[in-house]
Amino acid sequence: MPVKATDDMRFVFPRSFTIQQGDVIRFIVVNAGRIEHGFSIGDGTSQHTRAATMKKRPDMEHADDPSAVTLKPGEIKEITWRFDKPVEGDVVLACHLPGHYEAGMVSRVPFVKR
Protein backbone atom coordinates (compact mmCIF):
# COMPACT_ATOMS: atom_id res chain seq x y z
CA MET A 1 0.00 0.00 0.00
CA PRO A 2 1.72 3.22 -1.11
CA VAL A 3 1.53 6.09 1.41
CA LYS A 4 2.73 9.67 0.94
CA ALA A 5 3.57 11.77 3.98
CA THR A 6 3.11 15.45 3.10
CA ASP A 7 4.06 18.77 4.66
CA ASP A 8 0.39 19.73 4.95
CA MET A 9 0.32 17.11 7.74
CA ARG A 10 -1.55 14.40 5.85
CA PHE A 11 -1.05 10.84 4.74
CA VAL A 12 -2.18 10.32 1.16
CA PHE A 13 -3.31 6.87 0.02
CA PRO A 14 -4.18 5.91 -3.57
CA ARG A 15 -7.66 4.79 -2.45
CA SER A 16 -9.76 4.25 0.63
CA PHE A 17 -9.43 0.81 2.18
CA THR A 18 -10.33 -1.37 5.13
CA ILE A 19 -8.18 -3.82 7.05
CA GLN A 20 -9.40 -7.29 7.96
CA GLN A 21 -8.06 -9.36 10.79
CA GLY A 22 -5.38 -11.61 9.29
CA ASP A 23 -4.41 -9.19 6.50
CA VAL A 24 -0.74 -8.66 5.78
CA ILE A 25 -0.09 -5.22 4.34
CA ARG A 26 3.19 -3.83 3.06
CA PHE A 27 3.13 -0.07 3.56
CA ILE A 28 5.58 1.73 1.27
CA VAL A 29 5.92 5.14 2.89
CA VAL A 30 7.35 8.06 0.93
CA ASN A 31 8.17 11.36 2.58
CA ALA A 32 6.99 13.67 -0.20
CA GLY A 33 7.71 16.76 1.91
CA ARG A 34 10.62 18.98 2.81
CA ILE A 35 10.58 18.19 6.54
CA GLU A 36 10.99 14.97 8.50
CA HIS A 37 7.87 12.81 9.05
CA GLY A 38 7.01 9.60 10.83
CA PHE A 39 4.58 6.75 10.22
CA SER A 40 3.34 4.37 12.88
CA ILE A 41 0.70 1.65 13.01
CA GLY A 42 -1.49 0.96 16.03
CA ASP A 43 -4.91 1.12 17.58
CA GLY A 44 -6.35 4.20 19.24
CA THR A 45 -4.97 3.33 22.67
CA SER A 46 -1.42 2.59 21.50
CA GLN A 47 -1.31 5.74 19.36
CA HIS A 48 -2.54 7.88 22.26
CA THR A 49 0.20 6.37 24.46
CA ARG A 50 2.83 6.90 21.75
CA ALA A 51 1.73 10.55 21.35
CA ALA A 52 2.13 11.17 25.10
CA THR A 53 5.56 9.49 25.11
CA MET A 54 6.77 11.49 22.11
CA LYS A 55 5.66 14.74 23.75
CA LYS A 56 7.92 13.91 26.70
CA ARG A 57 10.77 12.59 24.52
CA PRO A 58 10.55 14.28 21.09
CA ASP A 59 14.01 13.02 20.09
CA MET A 60 13.00 9.37 20.60
CA GLU A 61 14.07 7.06 17.76
CA HIS A 62 12.02 4.22 16.26
CA ALA A 63 15.00 2.01 15.42
CA ASP A 64 13.78 -1.00 17.41
CA ASP A 65 10.06 -0.52 16.77
CA PRO A 66 8.75 -2.68 13.91
CA SER A 67 5.49 -0.67 13.80
CA ALA A 68 7.07 2.76 13.18
CA VAL A 69 9.53 4.56 10.91
CA THR A 70 10.96 8.06 10.71
CA LEU A 71 11.67 9.46 7.26
CA LYS A 72 13.88 12.30 6.12
CA PRO A 73 12.65 14.38 3.14
CA GLY A 74 12.52 12.23 0.00
CA GLU A 75 13.18 9.02 1.92
CA ILE A 76 11.21 5.80 1.32
CA LYS A 77 10.77 3.09 3.95
CA GLU A 78 8.63 -0.01 4.24
CA ILE A 79 6.69 -1.63 7.05
CA THR A 80 5.07 -5.01 6.53
CA TRP A 81 2.47 -5.65 9.19
CA ARG A 82 0.27 -8.67 9.94
CA PHE A 83 -3.00 -7.58 11.52
CA ASP A 84 -3.48 -10.84 13.43
CA LYS A 85 -4.76 -9.41 16.71
CA PRO A 86 -8.28 -8.01 16.99
CA VAL A 87 -8.50 -4.22 17.16
CA GLU A 88 -11.24 -2.32 18.94
CA GLY A 89 -12.30 0.45 16.61
CA ASP A 90 -10.08 1.54 13.75
CA VAL A 91 -6.45 0.97 12.89
CA VAL A 92 -4.72 4.31 13.43
CA LEU A 93 -1.82 5.45 11.25
CA ALA A 94 -0.02 8.46 12.70
CA CYS A 95 3.02 10.70 12.76
CA HIS A 96 4.27 11.56 16.23
CA LEU A 97 6.98 14.08 15.45
CA PRO A 98 6.46 17.26 17.50
CA GLY A 99 3.23 18.98 16.44
CA HIS A 100 2.40 16.63 13.55
CA TYR A 101 -0.18 14.41 15.32
CA GLU A 102 -1.84 17.48 16.81
CA ALA A 103 -1.93 19.11 13.35
CA GLY A 104 -3.94 16.18 12.00
CA MET A 105 -1.29 13.83 10.65
CA VAL A 106 -3.38 10.82 11.58
CA SER A 107 -5.56 8.49 9.51
CA ARG A 108 -8.13 6.01 10.73
CA VAL A 109 -8.74 2.86 8.70
CA PRO A 110 -11.78 0.70 9.46
CA PHE A 111 -10.88 -2.70 10.94
CA VAL A 112 -13.03 -5.75 10.22
CA LYS A 113 -12.84 -8.71 12.61
CA ARG A 114 -13.15 -12.18 11.12
Side-chain angles (χ1 to χ4, degrees):
M1 171 66 63
V3 181
K4 282 186 189 175
T6 67
D7 289 348
D8 63 350
M9 301 302 155
R10 299 287 177 259
F11 292 117
V12 179
F13 303 92
R15 59 179 168 75
S16 63
F17 64 103
T18 60
I19 297 171
Q20 291 187 345
Q21 187 173 349
D23 282 354
V24 176
I25 299 177
R26 188 174 109 206
F27 294 95
I28 303 166
V29 187
V30 177
N31 183 345
R34 294 183 174 167
I35 61 174
E36 193 171 64
H37 290 293
F39 180 82
S40 66
I41 302 167
D43 60 14
T45 301
S46 67
Q47 293 289 28
H48 180 72
T49 301
R50 186 185 303 258
T53 301
M54 289 296 288
K55 271 189 176 182
K56 292 177 187 173
R57 296 179 49 210
D59 58 342
M60 189 171 112
E61 296 286 329
H62 299 297
D64 297 327
D65 186 346
S67 68
V69 293
T70 302
L71 303 102
K72 294 182 184 339
E75 195 169 24
I76 300 170
K77 291 188 178 179
E78 294 184 16
I79 296 178
T80 300
W81 196 257
R82 176 181 294 278
F83 294 89
D84 54 353
K85 296 179 183 173
V87 172
E88 291 302 320
D90 298 331
V91 172
V92 180
L93 309 171
C95 176
H96 292 292
L97 293 179
H100 293 210
Y101 185 79
E102 296 79 7
M105 198 162 194
V106 57
S107 296
R108 289 170 173 73
V109 180
F111 183 80
V112 179
K113 295 179 191 174
R114 289 192 178 174

